[in-house]
Amino acid sequence: MKKTSTRLADGRELIYYDLRDDTVRDAVDRRPLERTHTTSEIRRDPLLGDQVAIASHRQGRTYHPPADQCPLCPTQGDRLSEIPDSSYDVVVFENRFPSLAGDSGRCEVVCFTSDHDASFASLTEEQARLVLDAWTDRTSELSHLPSVEQVFCFENRGEEIGVTLGHPHGQIYAYPFTTPRTALMLRSLAAHKEATGGENLFDAVLARELTDERIVLEGEHWVAFVPYAAHWPYEVHLYPKRRVPDLLGLDEEARSEFPQVYLELLRRFDRIFGEGEPPTPYIAAWHQAPFGTLEEFDGVTRDDFALHLELFTIRRTSGKLKFLAGSESGMSVFINDVPPERAAERLREVAS
């Protein structure tokens, strides 16, 4: 992998990740952009104890542009985009309309391929490995920023999810705090460790799932399963079999196997609802240990956390979506219409 860092016309950082070591990236952003100004602010809810990002500047972000005006495609002639070069393998750049900025963290866009009509599932294993390497590199770099406590790599796919740019891409949020969902996991870790005299909760969960009927697919270094208490109609958790706290901890064997396992998982997602159905909308979310202090979680260290990816769709059956209505949105109590065992069975049925 070759990494080349440059700057866009408004001062934002852009980084090329190339498969070939002899690739030269010296294209200049020719757009007449002024330096970006953001209004991101973090406010704490005193009742729930969580944080809300207030980012009014995002109201003006790009919204469903025509394919020939996509800002994530490479620049071609006089059609200028966020990527100055005429081609690329993987590109990461600072979001022009970030939810988090400055002392409130950082937001980046990850373009998986220059092909506008592709998807992550259509990447080659070599391309998918390059994306994994880019995620890992950005996790490392962002973790060293003084304002960053947790790094979250994710992909939103499909208009039903709320995606406003059709080009295959994901995002990275670097939060200045430990997110509420991670804090819940850490509290459960601490409670289980104390109650069992030191047993790791992630290890216990994984051991249980490996002996149950919800395994979707399994490799030598990775395992994918529908969790016992799945929140979403079709939800899969992907774990490395050797517990590591973050992407940086993966060894070469796990990195090499990841593309074939993850690509197969995504392709199965696209086949859940049968031939002729539109691509399955999904969210793919990496869960990594925070880089800040964990003193509030008694007895828990970063090494107790288990890196894993959670993949789920909001489509519950053909043509129908799972909406987060009163119970889910009002009380955070999910009601799942698809039994996890049946979801796992379906995902095994559509193996390629």
Side-chain angles (χ1 to χ4, degrees):
M1 178 188 78
K2 182 181 180 181
K3 176 183 175 183
T4 306
S5 179
T6 184
R7 293 281 172 180
L8 296 172
D10 55 8
R12 289 175 293 133
E13 185 178 18
L14 179 143
I15 307 160
Y16 294 98
Y17 292 91
D18 287 295
L19 293 167
R20 291 174 56 96
D21 290 336
D22 59 354
T23 303
V24 177
R25 299 295 185 186
D26 55 8
V28 176
D29 185 3
R30 294 181 278 132
R31 296 172 298 170
L33 297 179
E34 297 181 355
R35 294 192 72 86
T36 56
H37 298 282
T38 61
T39 58
S40 180
E41 175 189 357
I42 302 296
R43 297 184 182 181
R44 183 179 181 276
D45 184 321
L47 293 179
L48 298 180
D50 59 6
Q51 294 83 6
V52 178
I54 309 296
S56 59
H57 61 275
R58 284 174 52 79
Q59 287 281 35
R61 66 187 183 273
T62 308
Y63 187 80
H64 293 300
D68 62 357
Q69 297 177 31
C70 174
L72 306 185
C73 287
T75 290
Q76 297 292 335
D78 293 330
R79 193 186 77 179
L80 308 179
S81 76
E82 289 278 66
I83 296 90
D85 217 323
S86 59
S87 66
Y88 63 85
D89 292 334
V90 172
V91 163
V92 177
F93 60 88
E94 288 184 77
N95 198 321
R96 191 177 177 187
F97 304 97
S99 302
L100 309 166
D103 292 339
S104 297
R106 175 158 157 152
C107 293
E108 298 182 339
V109 177
V110 184
C111 298
F112 303 140
T113 170
S114 61
D115 184 354
H116 182 86
D117 298 318
S119 67
F120 202 119
S122 70
L123 299 181
T124 66
E125 290 186 15
E126 185 180 39
Q127 289 173 307
R129 168 61 190 265
L130 184 62
V131 176
L132 175 63
D133 290 342
W135 282 331
T136 304
D137 180 71
R138 296 315 301 153
T139 295
S140 175
E141 292 292 326
L142 292 170
S143 71
H144 289 97
L145 295 181
S147 63
V148 171
E149 189 167 311
Q150 186 172 0
V151 179
F152 175 46
C153 306
F154 65 100
E155 180 191 1
N156 297 328
R157 195 268 192 110
E159 290 188 19
E160 300 95 325
I161 297 294
V163 175
T164 57
L165 296 176
H167 196 102
H169 73 288
Q171 299 180 67
I172 302 175
Y173 277 20
Y175 297 100
F177 50 79
T178 296
T179 62
R181 188 176 177 91
T182 303
L184 283 173
M185 294 183 194
L186 291 169
R187 283 195 285 271
S188 295
L189 264 176
H192 185 83
K193 192 172 187 177
E194 181 179 7
T196 60
E199 182 183 60
N200 183 278
L201 179 58
F202 282 112
D203 292 350
V205 168
L206 187 56
R208 172 184 175 179
E209 294 292 354
L210 282 168
T211 62
D212 222 317
E213 59 183 314
R214 291 177 300 277
I215 297 291
V216 174
L217 59 91
E218 184 177 357
E220 184 178 353
H221 303 284
W222 294 86
V223 60
F225 57 88
V226 178
Y228 171 75
H231 290 62
W232 299 93
Y234 290 92
E235 174 183 339
V236 176
H237 292 189
L238 177 62
Y239 276 71
K241 290 184 177 179
R242 183 178 69 87
R243 172 164 47 89
V244 295
D246 51 39
L247 290 165
L248 301 169
L250 293 174
D251 58 25
E252 181 55 34
E253 289 78 10
R255 292 181 183 281
S256 296
E257 187 181 74
F258 171 77
Q260 65 189 73
V261 174
Y262 187 49
L263 290 173
E264 171 63 17
L265 191 56
L266 291 180
R267 290 162 187 166
R268 292 191 192 189
F269 253 61
D270 273 344
R271 294 193 290 268
I272 293 173
F273 303 105
E275 296 295 330
E277 287 291 316
T280 301
Y282 65 74
I283 293 175
W286 281 109
H287 291 264
Q288 306 191 80
F291 288 94
T293 177
L294 300 183
E295 291 178 358
E296 64 180 290
F297 308 104
D298 294 339
V300 170
T301 69
R302 290 193 80 249
D303 288 338
D304 289 322
F305 196 86
L307 167 76
H308 64 284
L309 182 142
E310 297 184 7
L311 173 70
F312 61 90
T313 180
I314 62 171
R315 187 179 292 165
R316 56 188 174 88
T317 189
S318 180
K320 297 179 181 179
L321 301 181
K322 166 63 178 177
F323 293 103
L324 300 189
S327 185
E328 292 88 356
S329 295
M331 284 290 141
S332 294
V333 177
F334 276 69
I335 300 169
N336 190 351
D337 305 307
V338 180
E341 292 73 21
R342 174 55 191 149
E345 182 182 15
R346 177 59 181 159
L347 284 161
R348 290 192 296 268
E349 289 174 351
V350 295
S352 59

